[in-house]
Amino acid sequence: MSRKSKTEPAKELSPLALQLIASRFKALSEPVRLRLLNILMQGERTVGQLVEASGSGQANVSKHLAVLRGAGMVGTRKEGLSTVCFISDEIVKDLCEMMCSRLREEMESKAAALSSDQKD
Amino acid sequence: MSRKSKTEPAKELSPLALQLIASRFKALSEPVRLRLLNILMQGERTVGQLVEASGSGQANVSKHLAVLRGAGMVGTRKEGLSTVCFISDEIVKDLCEMMCSRLREEMESKAAALSSDQKD
DNA sequence: TCACCATATTACTACATAGCGATAAAGCAA
DNA sequence: TTGCTTTATCGCTATGTAGTAATATGGTGA
């Protein structure tokens, strides 16, 4: 592989690369889509189950699933009448957990700051 | 820390948590913002340097920087007339590198599929 | 003080998309 | 075939935001 000696000095990314990376992050930038992924992390679900579990409308869920499929994060297969959905890229879990624990840290440090900041 | 025995069974996230995570990813879902972060990974830069290096307009860069600051990813300090910008959350680098290498994998496997798929 | 410089903000246009209701498409049952 | 079920798609409205030009803000030097 092309590993340099050190930590790699943060390469310049081409406009195309930036565009592609941005579109991946964009797929993750919507609460409903994150909710769908969060549900799918527990295992495969049909579209109908996702509709019920997410509380969003059927058309909306279908559209969001199309986005996630387009980003290569969710896969589907037909099973009778239903469409079974599953996470097709495990990176999603890592990314979300990373973001999640980072948020928790921030929250906790802010909470700590608030409680030690209690002047009158 | 609160690590369970196994891999943690993918907790249910609250609507607020989903909203917060989504907004972080949203900050990363724009090519210009990724470009700014990419430049800042090489070290601190003034707004003017970012304008020049990114090729975007001054007002636009300023607005994107405000988004990144709002997401806690970039910090700034005044230094004379200039505003010096720097990455304030190292998670950004990890996230981008993760996404980047994932993309590279996909590209390479697609390229490989294409070359081995060369029937007449 | 005034003039200048770097940056932020405002006002605006253009475009993308989230959400919804209605409808289409596709597979199953009778 | 008809009717039912599940999902995808269409048409639409409302909202968000990227980009730009113009202006405002605030620090610097004369």
Side-chain angles (χ1 to χ4, degrees):
Chain A
M1 304 297 280
S2 64
R3 279 264 154 210
K4 297 275 173 52
S5 50
K6 304 280 181 180
T7 337
E8 298 241 17
K11 274 187 285 281
E12 291 251 332
L13 295 170
S14 72
L16 173 61
L18 292 172
Q19 176 62 55
L20 287 172
I21 300 171
S23 69
R24 294 305 204 279
F25 281 128
K26 190 166 201 166
L28 297 174
S29 72
E30 232 289 327
V32 174
R33 286 198 287 272
L34 289 178
R35 178 91 181 98
L36 296 176
L37 291 171
N38 190 221
I39 296 168
L40 289 176
M41 283 182 201
Q42 303 171 359
E44 300 187 345
R45 295 285 188 281
T46 67
V47 175
Q49 291 173 324
L50 288 173
V51 168
E52 191 183 5
S54 72
S56 295
Q58 180 269 320
N60 204 26
V61 167
S62 184
K63 228 167 44 170
H64 282 304
L65 282 172
V67 173
L68 291 171
R69 242 183 294 128
M73 294 171 176
V74 163
T76 57
R77 69 170 180 278
K78 292 292 276 186
E79 222 166 74
L81 279 183
S82 301
T83 303
V84 178
C85 307
F86 51 90
I87 290 184
S88 62
D89 189 342
E90 298 298 317
I91 197 182
V92 170
K93 300 182 183 178
D94 296 334
L95 286 172
C96 289
E97 271 168 28
M98 209 184 240
M99 208 46 116
C100 241
S101 54
R102 192 80 192 78
L103 272 173
R104 235 185 317 265
E105 281 176 35
E106 281 176 32
M107 295 301 176
E108 280 162 10
S109 73
K110 273 181 192 163
L114 272 180
S115 22
S116 67
D117 226 30
Q118 301 266 10
K119 358 189 154 181
D120 56 343
Chain B
M1 302 304 276
S2 64
R3 277 268 155 211
K4 297 276 173 54
S5 49
K6 304 280 179 180
T7 337
E8 297 240 17
K11 274 187 285 282
E12 291 252 333
L13 295 169
S14 71
L16 174 60
L18 291 172
Q19 177 61 56
L20 287 171
I21 299 171
S23 69
R24 295 301 205 282
F25 280 128
K26 189 166 204 167
L28 297 174
S29 71
E30 233 288 326
V32 174
R33 284 198 288 271
L34 289 178
R35 178 91 182 98
L36 296 177
L37 290 171
N38 190 221
I39 296 168
L40 290 177
M41 283 182 202
Q42 302 171 0
E44 301 188 342
R45 294 287 187 281
T46 68
V47 176
Q49 290 173 325
L50 287 172
V51 168
E52 191 182 6
S54 71
S56 295
Q58 179 267 321
N60 204 26
V61 168
S62 184
K63 228 166 47 170
H64 282 303
L65 282 173
V67 173
L68 291 171
R69 243 183 293 126
M73 294 170 175
V74 164
T76 57
R77 71 169 178 277
K78 293 292 275 185
E79 221 165 73
L81 279 183
S82 301
T83 303
V84 179
C85 306
F86 52 91
I87 290 184
S88 62
D89 189 342
E90 298 298 317
I91 196 181
V92 170
K93 301 183 184 177
D94 296 334
L95 286 171
C96 289
E97 271 168 30
M98 211 183 238
M99 208 47 116
C100 241
S101 53
R102 192 79 192 79
L103 272 172
R104 235 185 318 264
E105 282 177 35
E106 283 175 31
M107 295 301 175
E108 279 163 12
S109 73
K110 273 182 193 164
L114 272 179
S115 23
S116 67
D117 227 29
Q118 301 267 12
K119 357 191 157 184
D120 52 348

